[in-house]
Amino acid sequence: QVHLVESGGGVVQPGTSLTLSCAASGFTFSNYGMHWVRQAPGKGLEWVAVTWSDESNKYYADSVKGRFTISRDNSKYTLYLQMNSLRVEDTAVYYCARDWANGQSGYFDYWGLGTLVTVSS
Amino acid sequence: DIQMTQSPSSLSASVGDRVTITCRASQSISRWLAWFQQKPGKAPKSLIYAASTLESGVPARFSGSASGTDFTLTISSLQPEDSATYYCQRYDTYPLTFGGGTKVEI
């Protein structure tokens, strides 16, 4: 059974950094692309970033490009999101989601429960 | 970027009603469209991919269709547990985008 568990959220000040983790289990992690998707309080879903299964390709939303970095450790079955220069508008629940394929599909077949990041002074 | 316009933003219907939600892409995305259901405080759940293919375990009262750049999610007979917000999402190219969501109230 596929499980995705995010961690690392919290309250931080604008301009600071935070790293989120997503622990995966129940499938062969190295075979699948992985995504981060976020949802601001009371708002809709926004795709953030994707990494191919082998990290050969990575793509980002324009809103986070240059500030966020997605990475993974296949030996640890863990996905990461390094978030720098955080802004108030980055406040959201951050979900990790599994890609249906190696990252090329862009379809999310499993989602984690999310971790809340609050950026506030 | 390709935009997804979802309508209506909310609707209220009765148990047993047929409900239709529409998403329109700003340009062709072939059939690279998915639908998700999200209940309050919960993670989204995948319902449909490739415009009309049901995910395993999704009740048959849910269906999806496509006509050009217009996509439709239909709930044939609304049930109390279908109260949720529904999102469409295109996945033809990166960056990926979602529709604005439709809140369905019973």
Side-chain angles (χ1 to χ4, degrees), chain A residues 50-95:
Chain A
V50 62
T51 174
W52 258 227
S53 56
D54 60 0
E55 294 193 284
S56 57
N57 283 290
K58 298 179 182 181
Y59 295 101
Y60 298 89
D62 286 345
S63 58
V64 307
K65 200 174 296 182
R67 300 188 299 123
F68 290 12
T69 301
I70 189 171
S71 63
R72 61 192 296 160
D73 186 332
N74 286 343
S75 68
K76 294 182 178 179
Y77 273 53
T78 303
L79 175 73
Y80 302 100
L81 185 68
Q82 170 71 40
M83 305 184 293
N84 298 330
S85 302
L86 281 162
R87 304 168 179 168
V88 171
E89 55 265 35
D90 295 320
T91 295
V93 173
Y94 285 74
Y95 297 100

Side-chain angles (χ1 to χ4, degrees), chain A residues 35 37 39 43-45 47 50 52 59 62 95 99 103 105-109 111-112, chain B residues 1 34 36 38 42-49 55 87 89 91 94-96 98 100:
Chain A
H35 301 260
V37 177
Q39 186 170 36
K43 302 297 184 182
L45 299 168
W47 173 79
V50 62
W52 258 227
Y59 295 101
D62 286 345
Y95 297 100
D99 189 272
S105 82
Y107 171 62
F108 322 113
D109 58 358
W111 298 67
Chain B
D1 298 346
F36 299 93
Q38 187 179 33
K42 302 293 186 181
K45 173 188 174 184
S46 307
L47 294 177
I48 288 171
Y49 61 94
E55 270 285 1
Y87 294 92
Q89 179 240 335
Y91 56 100
Y94 288 101
L96 310 177
F98 290 87

